[in-house]
Amino acid sequence: GKDAGRSDADEGDALADQGSVVDLPEHLTEAARLGLLRAKSKFSQPAAVSDRDDGGLDYTSSDLRQFATEQAFLRDAVTEQIFLGLVTFAYDPKVDVCDFVEDLSIAGIRFVYFSKAKGRQSKSFAERLGLETDWNTCILLSSVADSSYDDIVDDGYVEDHDIKAQLPRGIESIRSHLKEVDDIPLQISLFAECTPDSTREMINIFQENGDIVCCIGSALKDANTLTFAAADLAVGIEPIPHFNWIAHGSTQVAEATRSAALSGHDVANDGSISTSGALVTQYALGAALTCIPCPLFLQHDTSLYTLMQVISEARRLVGCIQQSAALLVASCLALVLINLISTLCLLPPALTGFMLLWVLWIVVPLLGTALLFVPHDENIMSTMPLKNQDHVSDMSRFAVYALIRMLPPIVLTILVYVTALEKLLADVAHLGRLASVFGRADWLALDSEQQWALLAAQTFAMVAFVFHVVCVSSTLMYRTRSCLEFVPFRNIAWIVASALCLLLTFVFAALLLAFGEAHIGRVAWYTYLIAFAGPLALLPLQDMCKLHDKKRWTRLQKLAKLEFKTKLGQHSPL
């Protein structure tokens, strides 16, 4: 017992000698000071380091072979260590990205995240993005034989619901899965173990199945250039705050470099001037080259909701362009039928060539342009977009709508033409004699008075048709909303365009008849009534067609929302 006590004392003296170079707090007890000095002596023995031939490592290869498991090594490594803290690193999504993804889903736009990490890591980050991470949510695009993921088991899926769902593994299996099993690869929002090539191939698969793809990625990753080019629309995002400020006209670095050169400094070795300027310039140049296929570019501090505003405006413009195109097509169809019917009735054409050009080159483009200024629909960002395929599936239905909506203007224009021609021709007592008069002789060989009477009747028909087109355009503000829901007079541009069209048409008609011999006062009162009161009375017919179209549109929207929100496949777990 005395020997043991003496050895402890000697050890304490030795430790005290070694600890004399270390400042220990005086408030510690003798036992605590002795424990700290023992811990220091254990890790500061020079012989323990000098005997090693491994460059001073804490654990040599022979030391590591002594541990049977990794847990045993970790337990030994932390023995007599003091835990001070834990440092972790993680990707931090933008602040508003979760709300952005949710609003995209409401708008019928699926947010798809392509990750190069493995399945569990990708799901962890996707959950922070606000994406679904339960069953049927993640597909691995790497091949089973890919050497980059040599630690996979079976097909790489580790979750029970993923294994039961029999999801495809590898980009080469996607097309066969879509053809033979189900369309789950088109419904999910997460792809893991992706490479740039597999990402581009998946984009092509989306496009083959009627999806419009908008690619959003870093402007400094050169591998994104081909991916941006493969998508229908690409948006480059600045990953570093204000790295491209030189590219946008800033000259601070150039001025600093010039002043340093004039003062005799070594500009090439001055990190505050030349190096930082060159670095910023390289970033800006790299981003400019990467984003060549991108029509849009977002700064680092720009909110993603800027894209929502762009999408909303694009949807409004596309709807307006569709309505403008419908007006143009319907007007062309009506003009053809008007002249065709008048010819079949053995009458001269109701509209001359320059009148057709006036309507198609002046009136319709003005009204169509005014339709581009229709205000936003409050439900535009909750409307499900249709697939980019089968565009002519309902063409017959729309042709019927166009015929029903333009048939009254056609009939009323012909009635105006016939009734005006009957009164303006002196030798025609009633309508029955019109066909006999023009059927016996060439209408181009008529005398001067009859030629002016024919021109006056055609002018009346042109004015009546222009007024009809103005009235029809008032019902084309929206596809399915009636005139009671949206009053056309709220569109100021349409009011100006309509007034301008009518004014120019009246001036054009006055110039045509200013030097003629036609007696316009002979035209009967009911001709004016048909020309200007008929279109107003037939406006409810336009709304009836829109109501029928609205029912079909609502049914299609419900079906599209059901398909968009459903992720059930052939082997989906219950």
Side-chain angles (χ1 to χ4, degrees), residues 477-490:
M477 300 291 178
Y478 295 101
R479 174 180 171 180
T480 57
R481 296 180 65 177
S482 65
C483 296
L484 298 178
E485 296 179 14
F486 180 82
V487 181
F489 296 104
R490 291 171 56 186

Side-chain angles (χ1 to χ4, degrees), residues 192-354:
E193 300 182 6
C194 302
T195 62
D197 293 334
S198 62
T199 301
R200 288 191 293 271
E201 188 63 22
M202 195 63 213
I203 290 177
N204 294 332
I205 293 176
F206 281 134
Q207 293 171 337
E208 292 171 2
N209 290 270
D211 289 328
I212 302 296
V213 180
C214 175
C215 181
I216 305 176
S218 172
L220 292 181
K221 187 176 181 181
D222 56 352
N224 287 341
T225 304
L226 295 178
T227 306
F228 288 153
D232 299 288
L233 178 66
V235 180
I237 296 183
E238 174 187 56
I240 303 175
H242 307 296
F243 72 83
N244 61 341
W245 57 287
I246 284 183
H248 290 278
S250 178
T251 59
Q252 296 180 7
V253 173
E255 293 178 355
T257 305
R258 189 183 304 108
S259 61
L262 294 176
S263 61
H265 291 288
D266 186 5
V267 181
N269 297 325
D270 191 351
S272 64
I273 299 176
S274 177
T275 304
S276 61
L279 185 62
V280 174
T281 305
Q282 292 172 5
Y283 278 148
L285 178 60
L289 295 177
T290 302
C291 296
I292 287 177
C294 300
L296 298 177
F297 184 85
L298 296 183
Q299 302 292 334
H300 177 77
D301 53 353
T302 302
S303 174
L304 290 176
Y305 274 94
T306 304
L307 292 180
M308 297 296 295
Q309 297 175 359
V310 172
I311 294 172
S312 176
E313 182 65 18
R315 287 189 174 187
R316 187 193 68 84
L317 286 176
V318 168
C320 295
I321 292 174
Q322 289 177 347
Q323 297 301 95
S324 300
L327 177 64
L328 176 61
V329 172
S331 300
C332 293
L333 176 64
L335 292 174
V336 171
L337 292 179
I338 288 173
N339 279 351
L340 177 62
I341 294 174
S342 61
T343 303
L344 293 178
C345 295
L346 302 179
L347 297 175
L351 299 171
T352 61
F354 56 84

Side-chain angles (χ1 to χ4, degrees), residues 74-390:
L74 294 176
R75 188 178 298 109
D76 182 80
V78 300
T79 301
E80 299 184 2
Q81 301 295 320
I82 299 176
F83 180 77
L84 299 179
L86 181 65
V87 178
T88 61
F89 296 91
Y91 291 107
D92 189 17
K94 294 178 72 70
V95 178
D96 53 354
V97 66
C98 294
D99 296 334
F100 174 72
V101 172
E102 183 179 359
D103 291 344
L104 284 179
S105 179
I106 296 175
I109 303 174
R110 194 181 309 279
F111 184 90
V112 181
Y113 173 53
F114 291 91
S115 172
K116 65 179 181 181
K118 296 184 179 181
R120 287 185 175 178
Q121 298 174 352
S122 301
K123 284 186 176 182
S124 176
F125 184 69
E127 187 173 2
R128 300 177 63 188
L129 292 176
L131 302 178
E132 297 182 5
T133 57
D134 50 4
W135 49 272
N136 282 354
T137 56
C138 181
I139 289 181
L140 308 181
L141 292 186
S142 63
S143 175
V144 178
D146 192 352
S147 59
S148 300
Y149 302 96
D150 52 358
D151 57 344
I152 59 176
V153 180
D154 295 333
D155 59 354
Y157 295 102
V158 295
E159 301 290 344
D160 292 338
H161 47 70
D162 290 336
I163 297 175
K164 292 180 181 179
Q166 300 184 19
L167 298 175
R169 174 61 191 267
I171 188 63
E172 65 277 358
S173 304
I174 300 297
R175 285 187 174 89
S176 59
H177 186 91
L178 292 173
K179 183 178 180 180
E180 301 172 1
V181 185
D182 51 40
D183 62 344
I184 288 300
L186 303 178
Q187 306 293 335
I188 68 172
S189 299
L190 177 61
F191 293 92
E193 300 182 6
C194 302
T195 62
D197 293 334
S198 62
T199 301
R200 288 191 293 271
E201 188 63 22
M202 195 63 213
I203 290 177
N204 294 332
I205 293 176
F206 281 134
Q207 293 171 337
E208 292 171 2
N209 290 270
D211 289 328
I212 302 296
V213 180
C214 175
C215 181
I216 305 176
S218 172
L220 292 181
K221 187 176 181 181
D222 56 352
N224 287 341
T225 304
L226 295 178
T227 306
F228 288 153
D232 299 288
L233 178 66
V235 180
I237 296 183
E238 174 187 56
I240 303 175
H242 307 296
F243 72 83
N244 61 341
W245 57 287
I246 284 183
H248 290 278
S250 178
T251 59
Q252 296 180 7
V253 173
E255 293 178 355
T257 305
R258 189 183 304 108
S259 61
L262 294 176
S263 61
H265 291 288
D266 186 5
V267 181
N269 297 325
D270 191 351
S272 64
I273 299 176
S274 177
T275 304
S276 61
L279 185 62
V280 174
T281 305
Q282 292 172 5
Y283 278 148
L285 178 60
L289 295 177
T290 302
C291 296
I292 287 177
C294 300
L296 298 177
F297 184 85
L298 296 183
Q299 302 292 334
H300 177 77
D301 53 353
T302 302
S303 174
L304 290 176
Y305 274 94
T306 304
L307 292 180
M308 297 296 295
Q309 297 175 359
V310 172
I311 294 172
S312 176
E313 182 65 18
R315 287 189 174 187
R316 187 193 68 84
L317 286 176
V318 168
C320 295
I321 292 174
Q322 289 177 347
Q323 297 301 95
S324 300
L327 177 64
L328 176 61
V329 172
S331 300
C332 293
L333 176 64
L335 292 174
V336 171
L337 292 179
I338 288 173
N339 279 351
L340 177 62
I341 294 174
S342 61
T343 303
L344 293 178
C345 295
L346 302 179
L347 297 175
L351 299 171
T352 61
F354 56 84
M355 293 180 180
L356 296 178
L357 295 179
W358 174 264
V359 174
L360 294 179
W361 287 12
I362 303 298
V363 176
V364 176
L366 278 176
L367 295 175
T369 304
L371 293 180
L372 299 179
F373 296 91
V374 175
H376 276 274
D377 186 2
E378 59 272 11
N379 298 323
I380 194 170
M381 290 307 293
S382 61
T383 302
M384 303 297 294
L386 301 179
K387 290 281 188 176
N388 188 27
Q389 58 187 5
D390 299 332

Side-chain angles (χ1 to χ4, degrees), residues 541-557:
L541 181 63
Q542 307 287 335
D543 283 346
M544 290 178 62
C545 291
K546 296 173 71 173
L547 180 61
H548 186 273
D549 186 25
K550 183 178 181 179
K551 293 180 179 179
R552 294 292 301 270
W553 175 255
T554 303
R555 190 180 303 115
L556 290 176
Q557 283 292 301

Side-chain angles (χ1 to χ4, degrees), residues 427-443:
D427 55 347
V428 177
H430 52 82
L431 292 177
R433 287 187 53 84
L434 281 177
S436 61
V437 170
F438 293 101
R440 290 195 302 264
D442 188 1
W443 60 274

